[in-house]
Structures are given as structure tokens and as C-alpha cells.
Amino acid sequence: MTNDPPAVYSRKNPFPARLAVNRRLSSPDSEKDTRHYEIDLTGSGLVYECGDSIGLIPRNRPELVEEIITALGAAGDEMVPGADKEPKALRAALTEDFGITQPSKNFIAALAGKAGEGAPLLNELLDPIRKQDLEEYLWGLEYIDLLLQHPSVKFTPEEFAKNLRKLLPRLYSIASSQKSDENSVHLTVATVRYESHGRAREGVASTFLAERCEGQNFFVFVHPAKGFRLPEDPATPIVMVGPGTGVAPFRAFLQERKITGATGKNWLFFGEQREKCDFLYRDEFAAMQHEGVLTKLDTAFSRDQEKKVYVQHRMLENGAGIWRWLEDGAHFYVCGDALRMAKDVDAALHEIVQKEGGKSPEEAAEFIEALKKEKRYKRDVY
């Protein structure tokens, strides 16, 4: 009789986890549904560090799966090649294996080819020089829209499945220190719901967590982020900018620094829409302030006054202090939206270095580039 070695869980062999806590953070009168999750990792052997992410493999919404099956004129039990090319029932493949929201280029080409003169616009937009126009046309459209728009075009279940992309894991910044909770991992996730082209849409993974994974196993793995770590010297001060769910890794940082007794000062900039209903982890941060773990907390609630205020505005108001902390060796962290927030925060940082450091724009750029090379300016943006 042999003892099998314990399983090593990874992206290729994810761990079958269970959800232990699903708690709404934003209040019911908020325009957002932001939630705190705790995933049970007992028996996994998974180890994570502050700054890492959890990879979550979601399942698609059953109602959308059934709608696609109906649009195909299928029954759902037809066998199709799954993501691993092994035969699988269509319903299971659409639920577990493939992305069924954003259409693939292969599907667009196949649809246009089958439709012929029945889809002149699609055929025009497939011209490589119309790439930008095609992207604009497809924005907010899903497979189901295109199937319903072209009812005369028929795909067999196998043809349809072969034009789908694999359902990809979603990465979420970890919101806990494993030193604080050894057998679980915490996440802070905004549930994505919106409307486009007259239909209600839902984020695949965020609604899976919010509504569909309770009481069953789902698969997770640790995605390391070696470039987004706390300073090695626990006496080093840190400045953290994390509006919305971007606050997740900084909750982990603060937990870790509290548990390890790190002496470095900690400054958090947090922003959301409204203080009354969107102040994520308000009580926890207040307690950390009271304990002296969180040295400074500056908040920006954009819709609590006529003129919108964001985290970059709070940074500029505190420019002299940020400059002093940087001169004292502080590490500067940003987490959240890459398109606008991170760019605005970067611009504010350049302005602070110019004004408070007495530098030209070129000298400020050199200073910030040096921060990056010294691994003192770190970003986790998406």
C-alpha cells in the first residue's frame, strides 16, 4: 500500500474551494453591489502573499446558456468538443468550458460567411482596415444578440462550440493576510450588472460569486504578483491609493503590518461614490486608525458634493505630506482602474514632485522613473 503525495494545486490543477462568507459591503441604497467574500482553502496547501491575486474559474449563467441553446434550435444534450477537445454535452460545455458573452472573431467570420448577402454590414466590417469600426459595432453585443439578429443562419451545436473561446479565469486581488486567516482567502468584488442594446447584462465571475457558487465547489488558484509586495524593511513607510475595490490589497497590507508589528507608517487614500453607502471596510479602517496601524486615511467621495472629488484631488491637497514621506523612503502603491484612475494618480504624483520637490517636468519624470527602478512605485491596475 502506497501513500499518494498530497496534490499540488496550481493554475493547471486548481483547488476545489467552497465559499464561506458572502457579505454585502455597500448598503442597499448604493448604486453598486460590492461584496466581501471569504473562500475556504482548508486542505489545499495553497500559500499566498499580500499583493497576490486569486484566479477564479467561474461558470456561466444558466439562463443565458438555455437562451443560446434555444436560439441554436438545439436540445442541450448534443455532444460537442469541450475546451479539452473531449466530447461533452452542449449544455455542460456552454456552462463550464467556453466564454459565451463577448463574440470571438472566428464566430463573427463564420456568421458572416453563412449569412452571405444577409449580413452585408458584418462582411464589410471584417475588412482588416475596418478593425476599429468592427470593435465599435460589437461593443456591448453578445453571442445571443447576433444569433437572434440572424435567425435564418443555422449553426449545428458542434459548429457553434468550435467557434467559441475558452472560458478564462478571472483574477481578483487578495484582500487578506494569510497570517491573519490561515485557511481562507478574502476578496472584495463589485458585482457587474449593466444594460446594453436593450438587454440586461451581467459580469460572468462577479455574479457567479454573488449568486451561483454557494453550496458547491468551484475552482481557484493563487496568481503570484512578485512586483506588488510590501517593503522588505518593516520600518519603511507606505502610501496606498486604492479607490473602490482597489482597496483590497491594502486591507491585506494593513492586516499583515499589524500582525508582524511593522513600525513603518501607513497612509491610505480611498475613494468611492458616497460616504454613507459606499465606504468599504469603514469600521475596520477606523479600528486600525485607533490602534495606530493606519497612520493617515484620506477619503474622496465623488458624489457627496456638487463638484466631483477623486483620490487624485486628495493627493494634490496633501502634496507636501506625500513628498515628505517619499523623501523618507516611502513606497507608493496604486491599485484599481488602469484606464482613468491610475493615469490621473500618476499625473498627480508628477505634479506633487514638481511642486513640492522644486523640479522641472523632466526632473519630476526622472525622479518617478527612479522610484519605479527602485521598486518604490508599484501598480496593480486592470
Short mmCIF file of all heavy atoms in Angstrom, two decimals, residues 78-115:
data_model
loop_
_atom_site.label_atom_id
_atom_site.label_comp_id
_atom_site.label_asym_id
_atom_site.label_seq_id
_atom_site.Cartn_x
_atom_site.Cartn_y
_atom_site.Cartn_z
N GLU A 78 -26.71 17.43 -26.97
CA GLU A 78 -25.85 17.06 -28.10
C GLU A 78 -24.38 17.09 -27.66
O GLU A 78 -23.98 17.95 -26.89
CB GLU A 78 -26.03 18.03 -29.27
CG GLU A 78 -27.44 18.04 -29.87
CD GLU A 78 -28.38 19.03 -29.20
OE1 GLU A 78 -28.05 19.54 -28.10
OE2 GLU A 78 -29.44 19.30 -29.76
N MET A 79 -23.59 16.16 -28.16
CA MET A 79 -22.17 16.09 -27.79
C MET A 79 -21.35 17.02 -28.69
O MET A 79 -21.50 17.01 -29.91
CB MET A 79 -21.65 14.66 -27.89
CG MET A 79 -22.40 13.67 -26.99
SD MET A 79 -22.47 14.19 -25.25
CE MET A 79 -20.77 13.86 -24.76
N VAL A 80 -20.50 17.81 -28.04
CA VAL A 80 -19.62 18.74 -28.75
C VAL A 80 -18.22 18.62 -28.14
O VAL A 80 -18.07 18.13 -27.02
CB VAL A 80 -20.11 20.21 -28.63
CG1 VAL A 80 -21.51 20.37 -29.20
CG2 VAL A 80 -20.06 20.67 -27.18
N PRO A 81 -17.18 19.06 -28.87
CA PRO A 81 -15.84 19.04 -28.26
C PRO A 81 -15.74 20.12 -27.18
O PRO A 81 -16.03 21.29 -27.44
CB PRO A 81 -14.90 19.33 -29.43
CG PRO A 81 -15.75 19.98 -30.47
CD PRO A 81 -17.15 19.48 -30.27
N GLY A 82 -15.37 19.72 -25.96
CA GLY A 82 -15.19 20.68 -24.88
C GLY A 82 -13.88 21.44 -25.05
O GLY A 82 -13.18 21.30 -26.07
N ALA A 83 -13.53 22.25 -24.07
CA ALA A 83 -12.30 23.04 -24.15
C ALA A 83 -11.07 22.15 -24.27
O ALA A 83 -10.05 22.54 -24.84
CB ALA A 83 -12.19 23.95 -22.93
N ASP A 84 -11.14 20.93 -23.70
CA ASP A 84 -10.02 19.99 -23.79
C ASP A 84 -10.14 19.07 -24.99
O ASP A 84 -9.41 18.07 -25.10
CB ASP A 84 -9.91 19.17 -22.51
CG ASP A 84 -11.17 18.37 -22.22
OD1 ASP A 84 -12.13 18.44 -23.03
OD2 ASP A 84 -11.20 17.67 -21.18
N LYS A 85 -11.09 19.36 -25.88
CA LYS A 85 -11.36 18.61 -27.11
C LYS A 85 -12.08 17.28 -26.86
O LYS A 85 -12.39 16.57 -27.81
CB LYS A 85 -10.07 18.35 -27.94
CG LYS A 85 -9.23 19.58 -28.23
CD LYS A 85 -10.00 20.63 -28.99
CE LYS A 85 -9.13 21.85 -29.29
NZ LYS A 85 -9.93 22.97 -29.82
N GLU A 86 -12.29 16.95 -25.59
CA GLU A 86 -13.02 15.72 -25.28
C GLU A 86 -14.53 15.97 -25.43
O GLU A 86 -15.01 17.07 -25.16
CB GLU A 86 -12.72 15.26 -23.85
CG GLU A 86 -11.27 14.80 -23.63
CD GLU A 86 -10.93 13.58 -24.46
OE1 GLU A 86 -11.74 12.63 -24.51
OE2 GLU A 86 -9.84 13.57 -25.09
N PRO A 87 -15.30 14.94 -25.85
CA PRO A 87 -16.74 15.12 -26.04
C PRO A 87 -17.45 15.50 -24.73
O PRO A 87 -17.12 15.00 -23.66
CB PRO A 87 -17.22 13.74 -26.53
CG PRO A 87 -15.99 13.06 -27.02
CD PRO A 87 -14.86 13.58 -26.20
N LYS A 88 -18.40 16.43 -24.86
CA LYS A 88 -19.12 16.92 -23.69
C LYS A 88 -20.50 17.37 -24.16
O LYS A 88 -20.64 17.88 -25.27
CB LYS A 88 -18.34 18.10 -23.09
CG LYS A 88 -18.70 18.45 -21.67
CD LYS A 88 -17.64 19.40 -21.10
CE LYS A 88 -17.80 19.55 -19.60
NZ LYS A 88 -16.71 20.35 -19.02
N ALA A 89 -21.49 17.23 -23.30
CA ALA A 89 -22.83 17.71 -23.66
C ALA A 89 -22.80 19.23 -23.85
O ALA A 89 -22.12 19.95 -23.12
CB ALA A 89 -23.84 17.33 -22.58
N LEU A 90 -23.55 19.70 -24.85
CA LEU A 90 -23.55 21.12 -25.20
C LEU A 90 -23.84 22.00 -23.98
O LEU A 90 -23.15 23.00 -23.74
CB LEU A 90 -24.59 21.39 -26.29
CG LEU A 90 -24.82 22.86 -26.67
CD1 LEU A 90 -23.56 23.47 -27.28
CD2 LEU A 90 -26.01 22.97 -27.64
N ARG A 91 -24.86 21.65 -23.19
CA ARG A 91 -25.23 22.47 -22.04
C ARG A 91 -24.06 22.59 -21.05
O ARG A 91 -23.75 23.68 -20.55
CB ARG A 91 -26.45 21.87 -21.34
CG ARG A 91 -26.92 22.68 -20.13
CD ARG A 91 -28.22 22.14 -19.55
NE ARG A 91 -29.37 22.46 -20.40
CZ ARG A 91 -29.98 21.58 -21.21
NH1 ARG A 91 -29.56 20.32 -21.27
NH2 ARG A 91 -31.01 21.95 -21.96
N ALA A 92 -23.38 21.48 -20.78
CA ALA A 92 -22.25 21.49 -19.84
C ALA A 92 -21.09 22.30 -20.42
O ALA A 92 -20.42 23.05 -19.70
CB ALA A 92 -21.81 20.07 -19.54
N ALA A 93 -20.85 22.15 -21.74
CA ALA A 93 -19.74 22.89 -22.37
C ALA A 93 -20.00 24.39 -22.33
O ALA A 93 -19.08 25.19 -22.06
CB ALA A 93 -19.55 22.42 -23.81
N LEU A 94 -21.25 24.80 -22.60
CA LEU A 94 -21.57 26.22 -22.57
C LEU A 94 -21.53 26.77 -21.14
O LEU A 94 -21.31 27.97 -20.94
CB LEU A 94 -22.96 26.47 -23.17
CG LEU A 94 -23.12 26.19 -24.67
CD1 LEU A 94 -24.53 26.50 -25.12
CD2 LEU A 94 -22.11 26.98 -25.50
N THR A 95 -21.75 25.93 -20.16
CA THR A 95 -21.74 26.37 -18.76
C THR A 95 -20.33 26.47 -18.21
O THR A 95 -19.99 27.44 -17.53
CB THR A 95 -22.56 25.38 -17.89
OG1 THR A 95 -23.89 25.33 -18.39
CG2 THR A 95 -22.58 25.83 -16.44
N GLU A 96 -19.48 25.49 -18.52
CA GLU A 96 -18.20 25.34 -17.83
C GLU A 96 -16.96 25.61 -18.68
O GLU A 96 -15.91 25.91 -18.13
CB GLU A 96 -18.08 23.91 -17.28
CG GLU A 96 -19.19 23.52 -16.34
CD GLU A 96 -19.22 22.02 -16.08
OE1 GLU A 96 -18.35 21.29 -16.61
OE2 GLU A 96 -20.11 21.57 -15.33
N ASP A 97 -17.06 25.45 -20.00
CA ASP A 97 -15.86 25.43 -20.83
C ASP A 97 -15.60 26.69 -21.63
O ASP A 97 -14.43 27.05 -21.86
CB ASP A 97 -15.93 24.25 -21.82
CG ASP A 97 -15.70 22.91 -21.17
OD1 ASP A 97 -16.06 22.77 -19.98
OD2 ASP A 97 -15.17 22.01 -21.82
N PHE A 98 -16.65 27.36 -22.07
CA PHE A 98 -16.47 28.42 -23.06
C PHE A 98 -17.04 29.76 -22.59
O PHE A 98 -18.02 29.81 -21.84
CB PHE A 98 -17.15 28.03 -24.38
CG PHE A 98 -16.60 26.79 -25.01
CD1 PHE A 98 -17.37 25.64 -25.14
CD2 PHE A 98 -15.29 26.76 -25.46
CE1 PHE A 98 -16.86 24.50 -25.71
CE2 PHE A 98 -14.76 25.62 -26.05
CZ PHE A 98 -15.54 24.48 -26.17
N GLY A 99 -16.40 30.83 -23.07
CA GLY A 99 -16.96 32.16 -22.86
C GLY A 99 -18.14 32.34 -23.80
O GLY A 99 -18.01 32.11 -25.01
N ILE A 100 -19.28 32.77 -23.26
CA ILE A 100 -20.48 32.87 -24.11
C ILE A 100 -21.05 34.29 -24.10
O ILE A 100 -22.22 34.50 -24.38
CB ILE A 100 -21.57 31.87 -23.67
CG1 ILE A 100 -21.98 32.08 -22.20
CG2 ILE A 100 -21.09 30.44 -23.89
CD1 ILE A 100 -23.21 31.28 -21.79
N THR A 101 -20.19 35.25 -23.78
CA THR A 101 -20.64 36.64 -23.84
C THR A 101 -19.99 37.36 -25.02
O THR A 101 -20.60 37.50 -26.07
CB THR A 101 -20.38 37.38 -22.52
OG1 THR A 101 -18.99 37.21 -22.14
CG2 THR A 101 -21.26 36.82 -21.40
N GLN A 102 -18.76 37.77 -24.91
CA GLN A 102 -18.11 38.57 -25.97
C GLN A 102 -17.78 37.69 -27.18
O GLN A 102 -17.03 36.73 -27.07
CB GLN A 102 -16.83 39.21 -25.43
CG GLN A 102 -16.23 40.22 -26.37
CD GLN A 102 -15.01 40.90 -25.76
OE1 GLN A 102 -14.55 40.53 -24.69
NE2 GLN A 102 -14.48 41.88 -26.45
N PRO A 103 -18.34 38.00 -28.35
CA PRO A 103 -18.14 37.12 -29.52
C PRO A 103 -16.69 37.09 -29.99
O PRO A 103 -15.99 38.10 -29.99
CB PRO A 103 -19.04 37.75 -30.59
CG PRO A 103 -19.97 38.65 -29.85
CD PRO A 103 -19.25 39.12 -28.64
N SER A 104 -16.26 35.90 -30.43
CA SER A 104 -14.91 35.74 -30.98
C SER A 104 -14.90 36.18 -32.44
O SER A 104 -15.94 36.18 -33.12
CB SER A 104 -14.47 34.28 -30.88
OG SER A 104 -15.24 33.48 -31.78
N LYS A 105 -13.72 36.52 -32.95
CA LYS A 105 -13.59 36.89 -34.37
C LYS A 105 -13.95 35.69 -35.25
O LYS A 105 -14.52 35.87 -36.33
CB LYS A 105 -12.15 37.35 -34.65
CG LYS A 105 -11.77 38.65 -33.93
CD LYS A 105 -12.35 39.86 -34.63
CE LYS A 105 -12.16 41.14 -33.82
NZ LYS A 105 -10.79 41.49 -33.52
N ASN A 106 -13.61 34.48 -34.80
CA ASN A 106 -13.94 33.29 -35.57
C ASN A 106 -15.45 33.16 -35.75
O ASN A 106 -15.93 32.82 -36.84
CB ASN A 106 -13.41 32.02 -34.88
CG ASN A 106 -11.91 31.86 -35.04
OD1 ASN A 106 -11.28 32.58 -35.80
ND2 ASN A 106 -11.34 30.91 -34.33
N PHE A 107 -16.19 33.43 -34.69
CA PHE A 107 -17.64 33.33 -34.78
C PHE A 107 -18.20 34.39 -35.72
O PHE A 107 -19.09 34.10 -36.53
CB PHE A 107 -18.28 33.47 -33.39
CG PHE A 107 -19.78 33.53 -33.44
CD1 PHE A 107 -20.53 32.40 -33.70
CD2 PHE A 107 -20.44 34.75 -33.25
CE1 PHE A 107 -21.92 32.46 -33.76
CE2 PHE A 107 -21.83 34.81 -33.32
CZ PHE A 107 -22.57 33.66 -33.58
N ILE A 108 -17.67 35.62 -35.61
CA ILE A 108 -18.15 36.71 -36.50
C ILE A 108 -17.93 36.32 -37.95
O ILE A 108 -18.81 36.48 -38.80
CB ILE A 108 -17.41 38.03 -36.18
CG1 ILE A 108 -17.62 38.46 -34.72
CG2 ILE A 108 -17.88 39.13 -37.13
CD1 ILE A 108 -19.04 38.70 -34.33
N ALA A 109 -16.74 35.78 -38.24
CA ALA A 109 -16.41 35.39 -39.61
C ALA A 109 -17.33 34.25 -40.08
O ALA A 109 -17.82 34.25 -41.21
CB ALA A 109 -14.95 34.97 -39.70
N ALA A 110 -17.56 33.28 -39.19
CA ALA A 110 -18.43 32.15 -39.55
C ALA A 110 -19.86 32.62 -39.78
O ALA A 110 -20.52 32.18 -40.73
CB ALA A 110 -18.38 31.09 -38.45
N LEU A 111 -20.34 33.52 -38.93
CA LEU A 111 -21.70 34.05 -39.07
C LEU A 111 -21.84 34.82 -40.37
O LEU A 111 -22.81 34.64 -41.12
CB LEU A 111 -22.02 34.95 -37.88
CG LEU A 111 -23.38 35.65 -37.88
CD1 LEU A 111 -24.50 34.62 -37.80
CD2 LEU A 111 -23.49 36.64 -36.72
N ALA A 112 -20.85 35.69 -40.65
CA ALA A 112 -20.89 36.49 -41.89
C ALA A 112 -20.84 35.58 -43.11
O ALA A 112 -21.55 35.81 -44.10
CB ALA A 112 -19.74 37.49 -41.90
N GLY A 113 -20.01 34.53 -43.04
CA GLY A 113 -19.89 33.59 -44.16
C GLY A 113 -21.20 32.86 -44.42
O GLY A 113 -21.62 32.70 -45.58
N LYS A 114 -21.86 32.41 -43.37
CA LYS A 114 -23.13 31.69 -43.52
C LYS A 114 -24.25 32.63 -43.99
O LYS A 114 -25.12 32.24 -44.77
CB LYS A 114 -23.53 31.06 -42.19
CG LYS A 114 -22.82 29.74 -41.87
CD LYS A 114 -23.26 29.23 -40.52
CE LYS A 114 -22.70 27.84 -40.22
NZ LYS A 114 -23.40 26.78 -40.97
N ALA A 115 -24.21 33.87 -43.48
CA ALA A 115 -25.29 34.81 -43.82
C ALA A 115 -25.14 35.36 -45.23
O ALA A 115 -26.14 35.68 -45.88
CB ALA A 115 -25.30 35.96 -42.81
#
